[in-house]
Amino acid sequence: KLSFSHKTLLSEMTSADKDKFLKVFDQLKTELINDFDTLPGLSDDLKLQLKSYYNECLQTTVPGGKMTRGLSVVRGVEILKGRALTEQEFFEASVLGWQVEWLQAFFLVADDIMDGSTTRRGAPCWYKFPHVTQDNGINDALFLENLIYKSLRRHFKKHPSYVQILELFIDTTFQ
């Protein structure tokens, strides 16, 4: 039976690994933000407004913590494989890790609204930003959850474990 603490699991992650992990977030964020361009029936001006708003939402709500959960996914894959990951394996593990971080962001945005919290990590909660409001914050929490499934489909649709990965996220959300 394998048993690791987050500290042990992440002890061999270098700052270069963390930087690579953050670059994957940037790529995922860019992909998802650019998806607004494909929405039919919206003016270019509205698409630009949505892209700007959700770029800020994602940057504010997703990578703000220590990224322990997401980095643990990457390190866990490396431990299970028993070797250093290839660039493609690191990327795919990072995509999964970021989906765990996205799920946490969804939970935290929703939880802050339900609890009436005012700060998160020493800054105003997302829904407390003057241009966000509680109503938009609820929508944004649901949007964050939806982005998990868009990213998983984009990056793992042809993976033999795609259905199991989806079910894992669905079951985790339900719990």
Side-chain angles (χ1 to χ4, degrees):
K1 178 180 171 186
L2 293 174
S3 178
F4 299 97
S5 71
H6 284 300
K7 186 176 180 181
T8 303
L9 199 60
L10 298 178
S11 64
E12 295 181 31
M13 297 292 290
T14 66
S15 63
D17 291 333
K18 292 176 185 172
D19 290 343
K20 277 177 34 180
F21 185 69
L22 281 166
K23 285 182 181 167
V24 173
F25 169 77
D26 290 336
Q27 178 180 337
L28 296 172
K29 181 178 71 166
T30 298
E31 291 169 357
L32 293 163
I33 294 300
N34 287 339
D35 285 344
F36 282 110
D37 290 329
T38 66
L39 292 176
L42 299 180
S43 70
D44 289 343
D45 185 52
L46 181 55
K47 288 177 185 180
L48 283 173
Q49 289 175 39
L50 288 169
K51 288 167 74 169
S52 175
Y53 178 85
Y54 281 108
N55 186 62
E56 180 186 8
C57 174
L58 296 178
Q59 193 64 49
T60 302
T61 61
V62 180
K66 296 177 288 219
M67 304 176 297
T68 303
R69 290 168 185 81
L71 288 167
S72 293
V73 171
V74 176
R75 184 68 178 119
V77 170
E78 188 175 53
I79 289 169
L80 290 171
K81 289 195 172 279
R83 59 173 172 73
L85 301 178
T86 66
E87 288 298 314
Q88 183 63 28
E89 290 168 338
F90 185 93
F91 176 78
E92 289 176 354
S94 294
V95 170
L96 287 175
W98 278 113
Q99 301 324 298
V100 173
E101 293 289 335
W102 241 278
L103 186 64
Q104 179 68 6
F106 155 59
F107 289 147
L108 292 178
V109 170
D111 185 64
D112 288 344
I113 294 168
M114 288 184 274
D115 293 347
S117 300
T118 57
T119 60
R120 163 82 46 203
R121 300 177 184 132
C125 294
W126 174 246
Y127 82 98
K128 287 294 192 179
F129 281 51
H131 64 290
V132 176
T133 74
Q134 183 172 324
D135 291 345
N136 285 341
I138 293 167
N139 185 65
D140 296 342
L142 297 171
F143 184 73
L144 288 167
E145 181 188 22
N146 181 267
L147 294 181
I148 295 166
Y149 302 104
K150 286 187 70 65
S151 282
L152 289 174
R153 182 176 58 206
R154 176 177 278 128
H155 292 283
F156 293 101
K157 186 175 184 178
K158 295 182 184 199
H159 193 282
S161 298
Y162 177 61
V163 171
Q164 290 86 355
I165 293 168
L166 285 176
E167 288 177 346
L168 181 60
F169 278 91
I170 291 166
D171 291 347
T172 300
T173 304
F174 184 71
Q175 295 174 7

